Amino acid sequence: AAADRVLLAGTLLGAALYAYGRWVEPRRVEVTHTALPVLPAGATPIRVVHLSDVHSPSNDALTRRRAALVAAERPDLVVFT
């Protein structure tokens, strides 16, 4: 009855969250640009690429796509966290 529906809803929600975390999130790549005014006036700006939560093999298509995106940004510094 009601407990069965709650159990079913919880199971479906858990399965959906697992599927998202397994197949969607690891393939999601986001590029954002943010200017941080931390250098003194007149200083040459530096371009930093920050990579985080990289959970894929080093030889897959997604890794090659990420590498191309990083190269396109022409960074002065790449940071992995």
Side-chain angles (χ1 to χ4, degrees), residues 48-58 62-64 66-71 75-81:
V48 178
V49 168
H50 172 227
L51 297 166
S52 67
D53 297 325
V54 178
H55 302 283
S56 63
S58 61
L62 179 59
T63 300
R64 290 188 295 276
R66 286 182 184 135
L69 288 169
V70 168
D76 299 304
L77 176 67
V78 178
V79 179
F80 288 88
T81 62

Side-chain angles (χ1 to χ4, degrees), residues 27-73:
R27 289 162 177 74
R28 187 173 152 246
V29 177
E30 181 179 337
V31 176
T32 58
H33 296 94
T34 304
L36 300 174
V38 296
L39 297 175
T44 303
I46 42 179
R47 185 175 295 250
V48 178
V49 168
H50 172 227
L51 297 166
S52 67
D53 297 325
V54 178
H55 302 283
S56 63
S58 61
N59 62 351
D60 71 347
L62 179 59
T63 300
R64 290 188 295 276
R65 179 175 163 223
R66 286 182 184 135
L69 288 169
V70 168
E73 295 297 324

